Amino acid sequence: MNKPAAPKALLNIVIGEWAARTVYAAAKLRIPDLLAGQRRTSADLAAELGAVPEALRRILRYLAGLEVLDGDEQRGFGLTEMGQLLRTEVTGSIRDFVILSGEEWHRSWSQVVHTAQTGGQAFEHVHGTNLFSYLDSNPEASRTFDRAMSGSVKLFNEVPNAYDFSGAGTIVDVGGGNGELLGTILASAEGPRGVVFDRPDVVAAAEAELSARGLTERCTLVGGDFLRSVPAGGDTYVISRTLHNWSDEHCLAILGNCAAVTKPGDRVLVIERVILPDTDPRLSLAQDVLMLLVTGGGRARTKDEHRELMEKSGFALREVHALPQDFSILVAERV
Ligand SMILES: C[S@@+](CC[C@H](N)C(=O)[O-])C[C@H]1O[C@@H](n2cnc3c(N)ncnc32)[C@H](O)[C@@H]1O
């Protein structure tokens, strides 16, 4: 297919924000949950939501145009495959990511000019504090953030296929969130034990995830600050989608803390969207600007930049394996 002419291509980029806002509204109003397994008219939905039928009809019609919904007012609106992913409590749901994108990330993107002109963090500019302090004092946003991260089922399921954990003794997931990834890894290999290490409030929520998987016997939860130390006793340290939140100095602290508790031959596995010359850069570069806006020094990195951080911390990069959604797993060995 030919590329659209420049004006149309640019316009499509610009109105992408309108589409994203409308998808956010649908998720926020839980419209996909209300359409699960049934077609409904806007009048019917509006009555349940306390919304204005004509306004809702036009929004649903746009969502059908975006192929998030299908149908129309006569037949009723229903969910497409994309729309199903906006439901709560379904495998692979990205509803929480849509809410995070439509709220904290949206407010931050609205200040991209501020960041360009001052270099200051857009997130701090609009929220008055940095990301993780904000999450510490906003439990609802914090749960949404954790669920948005752990919604990456497809990615997590591929991690044990990309790296064989059966020879590991104890796997420590540094910044392990609510334990979804470690739970997936432990379910794939019977031998290893695990530790989920994260901010104290976050590991409290991980308990439910691990007990739902029947893994409480094999896994412990530790709260703390990875900039100060990480739990000792592991031979395999996983750092998934976390280094991009931090400056090089902070990454050296996190990796250095892993080096301090490991011995030669132990592993650090870093999961990141690496900027690679031969992959579509749109996701990694969008994430890079997001990190510019919402963190103090976080960034997407190339493979060589990761290698350098690892070498400075006492690890040698041995292998890189591709994962879904342009992620990679970088396998490093303590030297
Ligand atoms: C972007 S999330 C990634 C979560 C998970 N590893 C994943 O791949 O979905 C970053 C994680 O780092 C944790 N974190 C942030 N600052 C931390 C700190 N100082 N000490 C420990 N964990 C921290 C956050 O709570 C969050 O769970």
Side-chain angles (χ1 to χ4, degrees):
M1 206 165 65
N2 289 337
K3 271 179 116 174
K8 187 159 185 225
L10 185 59
L11 198 61
N12 281 340
I13 292 172
V14 173
I15 68 171
E17 188 187 14
W18 305 353
R21 296 305 295 158
T22 310
V23 169
Y24 161 74
K28 185 75 179 173
L29 292 170
R30 296 186 185 273
I31 288 171
D33 284 338
L34 299 177
L35 292 177
Q38 57 182 331
R39 291 188 166 277
R40 297 178 71 175
T41 62
S42 58
D44 179 26
L45 284 173
E48 182 160 350
L49 289 168
V52 175
E54 175 57 6
L56 198 59
R57 182 186 70 77
R58 290 164 62 182
I59 290 168
L60 297 180
R61 185 175 62 175
Y62 180 31
L63 287 164
L66 295 170
E67 299 181 6
V68 171
L69 303 182
D70 61 16
D72 53 34
E73 191 59 15
Q74 282 69 45
R75 287 179 291 152
F77 293 95
L79 294 175
T80 61
E81 198 180 337
M82 280 201 283
Q84 294 285 356
L85 297 173
L86 296 172
R87 290 172 55 194
T88 48
E89 313 291 341
V90 292
T91 306
S93 169
I94 61 160
R95 179 179 184 273
D96 290 296
F97 180 74
V98 171
I99 301 297
L100 174 66
S101 290
E103 298 188 353
E104 284 79 11
W105 287 177
H106 173 72
R107 290 194 284 272
S108 304
W109 280 102
S110 76
Q111 294 301 317
V112 65
V113 173
H114 166 83
T115 294
Q117 287 180 323
T118 66
Q121 270 186 59
F123 188 95
E124 265 191 6
H125 188 57
V126 281
H127 296 95
T129 184
N130 70 45
L131 172 62
F132 291 111
S133 309
Y134 169 89
L135 294 178
D136 279 340
S137 46
N138 288 278
E140 182 54 36
S142 186
R143 294 289 86 81
T144 300
F145 180 87
D146 294 340
R147 287 192 305 256
M149 297 303 127
S150 64
S152 307
V153 181
K154 206 169 152 204
L155 167 68
F156 292 165
N157 284 344
E158 280 306 311
V159 171
N161 297 331
Y163 182 84
D164 179 7
F165 288 89
S166 59
T170 297
I171 303 162
V172 182
D173 192 352
V174 176
N178 68 5
E180 180 80 29
L181 173 60
L182 190 60
T184 304
I185 293 171
L186 292 183
S188 77
E190 283 183 2
R193 301 184 58 79
V195 178
V196 178
F197 179 64
D198 207 292
R199 293 155 42 233
D201 285 355
V202 175
V203 287
E207 186 130 37
E209 170 64 26
L210 292 172
S211 82
R213 286 173 174 266
L215 288 169
T216 34
E217 297 287 297
R218 288 171 63 201
C219 194
T220 47
L221 302 167
V222 180
D225 178 358
F226 53 39
L227 298 175
R228 292 171 181 270
S229 64
V230 302
D235 53 17
T236 305
Y237 285 73
V238 175
I239 312 175
S240 169
R241 303 191 301 175
T242 290
L243 293 183
H244 68 256
N245 290 152
W246 299 95
S247 66
D248 286 357
E249 292 68 30
H250 284 125
C251 289
L252 290 174
I254 298 166
L255 288 165
N257 288 334
C258 293
V261 293
T262 47
K263 56 185 186 323
D266 289 345
R267 298 293 167 108
V268 161
L269 311 179
V270 169
I271 297 173
E272 284 295 343
R273 218 170 239 144
V274 179
I275 301 175
L276 294 169
D278 50 352
T279 56
D280 180 348
R282 275 174 294 191
L283 280 177
S284 56
L285 299 186
Q287 178 170 301
D288 184 57
V289 178
L290 177 65
M291 290 305 114
L292 176 70
L293 300 176
V294 307
T295 70
R299 60 198 312 132
R301 294 181 172 86
T302 63
K303 187 166 114 181
D304 284 342
E305 287 168 337
H306 278 289
R307 187 200 311 278
E308 198 179 325
L309 289 174
M310 287 166 169
E311 282 174 0
K312 283 185 178 163
S313 315
F315 294 94
L317 179 60
R318 297 287 187 226
E319 299 157 26
V320 180
H321 304 288
L323 288 170
Q325 299 157 12
D326 288 353
F327 282 96
S328 299
I329 181 163
L330 299 103
V331 181
E333 184 181 337
R334 173 86 153 76
V335 287

